[in-house]
Amino acid sequence: MSDPLNAALSGQAPAALAEDVSLATPLTAPRIAGREAASAALRAYQKALAKGEATARLKGGGLEGVVYSASADGQTAEILALAGYDTTGLIATVDVYGRPWPYMAALREVISETDPALADPDLGTGPYTPEGPTPVWVEHPAVPPLAQDVTLYSPILSEEPTGKAVVGPILEAAARSYSDLKVRAVLDIEGRSGFAVVIDELVDGHVQQLVEMFTLNAEGEVGEIRIFTRPWLVTAHFRKRMYALLKTDLGPEYWMGPDPAGPLPG
């Protein structure tokens, strides 16, 4: 998937970015301002993903995006980068989300070797509220019924649960773990039947930002849900809440990485 958008989101085409572009990363809370700094950060992510492959494209609500996937030691980490444009056609904002949380923790270690600031999870003082342009909230689209063999690619779980009987209760637990859901944009998934929703929601008083991708099967049911989140430390709060609700239903293979019942990482 070699094209101008992919090159810009890989940090290889700085001229495609506005001089005052701002970047939100999946690991850190503050936005990174300026063409040079944003391009360097995007290059650091591509380097950390090593042989990362662009696997999907999104478009809608004035945004375009690319999903990147990379595997190492049998584990797959994914990031989703969304670009917003200014009136001249240059990229004015880039928002990057990641999944799943345990493997993003491993990615964080790699990125820290390139630039420790890109791996600093500090949320600042007080509840985290994202910076950037003031959003225009839109309605959440209706979500079709789950297919019997639906698969969930969670932002926090280290395995992918499959089947409506398993995925349904996980989604119900998620709904109990956040509040005040608001929708920033709705996008189409290029070449597939489905859509993506860009969301802000509150977790322990902090804003968690996420993108939910719903892919539909031939019957129009949701066959796959893939969820990306940011920033990393707010997702740690979410993971801890979800563990408290699901620890008796999901085995330890779903909770690889730091102890979900332990202290939050710093």
Side-chain angles (χ1 to χ4, degrees):
M1 195 177 292
S2 178
D3 56 40
L5 176 63
N6 192 44
L9 295 178
S10 301
Q12 305 302 317
L17 307 180
E19 285 281 3
D20 60 350
V21 65
S22 71
L23 165 68
T25 83
L27 296 175
T28 54
R31 295 188 77 89
I32 297 170
R35 176 185 288 167
E36 183 176 346
S39 292
L42 291 169
R43 287 194 297 272
Y45 270 85
Q46 285 299 312
K47 181 180 179 181
L49 289 169
K51 297 180 180 180
E53 177 188 4
T55 59
R57 288 285 293 264
L58 307 174
K59 187 173 184 178
L63 302 172
E64 288 188 283
V66 181
V67 176
Y68 299 94
S69 176
S71 296
D73 299 326
Q75 301 174 348
T76 299
E78 295 181 301
I79 65 170
L80 190 165
L82 292 179
Y85 296 86
D86 64 17
T87 56
T88 70
L90 294 176
I91 295 174
T93 59
V94 181
D95 291 82
V96 186
Y97 308 76
R99 66 156 302 274
W101 188 89
Y103 302 161
M104 291 302 294
L107 187 68
R108 178 177 171 236
E109 294 299 319
V110 176
I111 286 179
S112 69
E113 297 174 2
T114 300
D115 184 346
L118 291 177
D120 183 355
D122 183 30
L123 297 176
T125 58
Y128 170 69
T129 301
E131 305 166 336
T134 302
V136 177
W137 306 113
V138 299
E139 293 293 323
H140 197 297
V143 178
L146 301 181
Q148 289 298 327
D149 60 350
V150 62
T151 299
L152 173 63
Y153 295 85
S154 165
I156 60 165
L157 302 176
S158 48
E159 292 288 337
E160 289 82 41
T162 296
K164 184 176 180 178
V166 179
V167 173
I170 295 173
L171 297 179
E172 291 172 4
R176 295 166 57 191
S177 300
Y178 65 79
S179 62
D180 198 28
L181 183 150
K182 297 178 181 177
V183 176
R184 288 178 175 261
V186 180
L187 301 88
D188 293 323
I189 307 172
E190 188 175 282
R192 304 181 195 175
S193 178
F195 58 92
V197 188
V198 185
I199 290 170
D200 284 9
E201 62 190 24
L202 287 179
V203 177
D204 290 346
H206 300 288
V207 175
Q208 178 173 243
Q209 299 189 287
L210 59 152
V211 180
E212 299 177 335
M213 291 177 59
F214 299 93
T215 302
L216 308 184
N217 63 17
E219 288 72 41
E221 301 168 323
V222 176
E224 176 183 298
I225 306 170
R226 195 175 295 266
I227 305 174
F228 304 79
T229 59
R230 70 161 306 278
W232 184 75
L233 190 52
V234 178
T235 304
H237 284 260
F238 180 67
R239 179 174 180 254
K240 192 166 188 174
R241 279 180 165 266
M242 290 287 283
Y243 179 73
L245 295 171
L246 296 170
K247 61 185 177 182
T248 59
D249 300 311
L250 300 179
E253 68 273 17
Y254 288 93
W255 307 103
M256 290 176 59
D259 181 2
L264 294 173

